[in-house]
Structure formats: structure tokens, C-alpha cells
Amino acid sequence: MVTTRSTTNTIPAVEKERLLFVPQKGTKYRKGDYAHACKQQPIPMNELPRYLTDPDMVPKWEAPILWLGWLITEEDLLKLVEAHYPDEYDLCQGEPDVDCIFNLPDALRKEYDVSPRMHECVDIAIVARQDGTRTTALSVGCSSIGIIKLQTVEDIQTKFGLQRPPEWLLDGREWKWARRTYTVRNPKKPKERTI
């Protein structure tokens, strides 16, 4: 089976009382709920509620996506690539632009031998700030996948001189709870009948 996100977002009131990132009023998302959700984060690394990572805790609902990482502007990410991975920076040929920052996750995956299963965790994520604007973050974990080895997280933090530990940051696009729907990957074809 394949899980897909539904576009209808009506959250049962019983579940709503104990969840982060739910509508302020009622059970449907409305104008202003995005800003409200953004104010509920970042969440410290070791304080992420389990229901945001364990789909069995809130059956029928898919939690918003959160990224474990550091808010870093595109310009600062570009400086990190230039300073720590000059070969990746040179691959940008000519005048480096913002696209060079997307070489950084690949370089980190190779350097720290991140398992293929965890590749998506080491990324440049588009996340929401507390004020509701979107920005970039260097991520080392994802609430729907997991976290890379903690020693690797610490090594990356030290390498780049990041003063604070990573925090859980709300995804800039998938910030809502979504009704979990199930679809069958290869449905059987109905048998033809002859009359």
C-alpha cells in the first residue's frame, strides 16, 4: 500500500486538544493558522513530541513535516560550500550562484558516509520561521524519516562552527496535519464477464 496526503484537513476535536500545529478555531485550517503554527516552533532537538514521528499514535492522520537542522541563509550556505568544499564550489563554473548550495548535502553525505536510507535527512530544506516567512535550513533529520548518527550531527555542527544545537523546524510547505488516505499500488483488474 501507498500512503498519500489528502487535501481535506478536518481534525477531530478530541485529537486537536493535544496536538501541535492544529487550527486555532474549529477543525479546519483557515487564514491565520499558518502564522499560528509557525509560532509553535522551533522545537529543541530532544523535545519533539513522539506523535509527530510515530504514525501509529494518531491513526488516520499524517503529521506535519519537521526538519532537524539549523536556519542558515542561502548566502551563508554558499560561503560554507566555498570554505569547506572548494571542489564542489568550483563545479558551479564561472559565477557561483545560489544553486551551488545544493552541492553541500551531497558532499556531507559522502564525507560522513550517511547511509542511503538517511540521505533525505541531510538536505537543504525550505522551512518556516517563527514570523511565517520561509527560509533555508541545513537539515540532518526529518520527522518522517529519522536522524542521522548523533556523532555525525555533532561533527557537522563543529565543522561549520554552528553555535547552537540543531532544532526541529516546521516544513515551509507541509506544515498541516493531513488526513491519511490509502491507495492500492497495483489494483486487480475486474474480471470481464460475458453475457
Side-chain angles (χ1 to χ4, degrees), residues 20 25 39 68 72 89 113 128-129 140 146 151 164 194:
L20 289 173
K25 299 176 183 174
K39 291 176 184 164
L68 179 66
I72 304 178
Y89 186 79
D113 195 28
R129 293 179 191 219
V140 291
Q151 184 59 53
R164 298 173 54 164
T194 54

Side-chain angles (χ1 to χ4, degrees), residues 28-86:
K28 289 190 179 189
Y29 287 97
R30 292 178 175 77
K31 186 178 180 178
D33 286 333
Y34 174 72
H36 177 71
C38 289
K39 291 176 184 164
Q40 297 177 45
Q41 53 97 40
I43 300 170
M45 182 176 169
N46 296 322
E47 295 179 23
L48 187 68
R50 187 169 158 230
Y51 64 79
L52 290 170
T53 61
D54 183 353
D56 294 333
M57 290 194 72
V58 188
K60 301 180 185 175
W61 294 97
E62 194 168 329
I65 302 295
L66 286 101
W67 296 94
L68 179 66
W70 299 270
L71 292 176
I72 304 178
T73 65
E74 292 175 348
E75 295 78 22
D76 288 338
L77 285 166
L78 190 57
K79 289 175 187 173
L80 291 176
V81 174
E82 183 179 18
H84 297 279
Y85 299 100

Side-chain angles (χ1 to χ4, degrees), residues 39-195:
K39 291 176 184 164
Q40 297 177 45
Q41 53 97 40
I43 300 170
M45 182 176 169
N46 296 322
E47 295 179 23
L48 187 68
R50 187 169 158 230
Y51 64 79
L52 290 170
T53 61
D54 183 353
D56 294 333
M57 290 194 72
V58 188
K60 301 180 185 175
W61 294 97
E62 194 168 329
I65 302 295
L66 286 101
W67 296 94
L68 179 66
W70 299 270
L71 292 176
I72 304 178
T73 65
E74 292 175 348
E75 295 78 22
D76 288 338
L77 285 166
L78 190 57
K79 289 175 187 173
L80 291 176
V81 174
E82 183 179 18
H84 297 279
Y85 299 100
D87 292 342
E88 297 294 331
Y89 186 79
D90 291 342
L91 288 175
C92 293
Q93 301 172 349
E95 180 115 358
D97 62 8
V98 174
D99 289 341
C100 268
I101 66 174
F102 296 103
N103 294 344
L104 183 59
D106 284 335
L108 289 169
R109 290 178 197 130
K110 287 176 197 167
E111 180 178 350
Y112 293 103
D113 195 28
V114 175
S115 74
R117 188 177 78 79
M118 301 302 282
H119 272 203
E120 282 185 65
C121 294
V122 180
D123 208 352
I124 304 300
I126 304 300
V127 297
R129 293 179 191 219
Q130 280 190 311
D131 66 5
T133 59
R134 291 180 175 92
T135 190
T136 50
L138 174 60
S139 71
V140 291
C142 179
S143 59
S144 64
I145 301 168
I147 304 171
I148 63 173
K149 295 176 186 172
L150 292 179
Q151 184 59 53
T152 303
V153 173
E154 292 172 10
D155 291 347
I156 291 170
Q157 181 178 352
T158 302
K159 177 179 187 116
F160 294 146
L162 302 166
Q163 301 300 313
R164 298 173 54 164
E167 298 176 300
W168 290 102
L169 306 161
L170 189 59
D171 187 89
R173 286 170 240 142
E174 294 189 42
W175 59 273
K176 298 178 182 180
W177 283 88
R179 187 87 145 124
R180 184 173 289 142
T181 57
Y182 297 91
T183 55
V184 178
R185 182 173 286 175
N186 293 319
K188 293 181 181 178
K189 292 182 180 177
K191 293 181 181 179
E192 291 184 28
R193 293 185 183 178
T194 54
I195 299 178

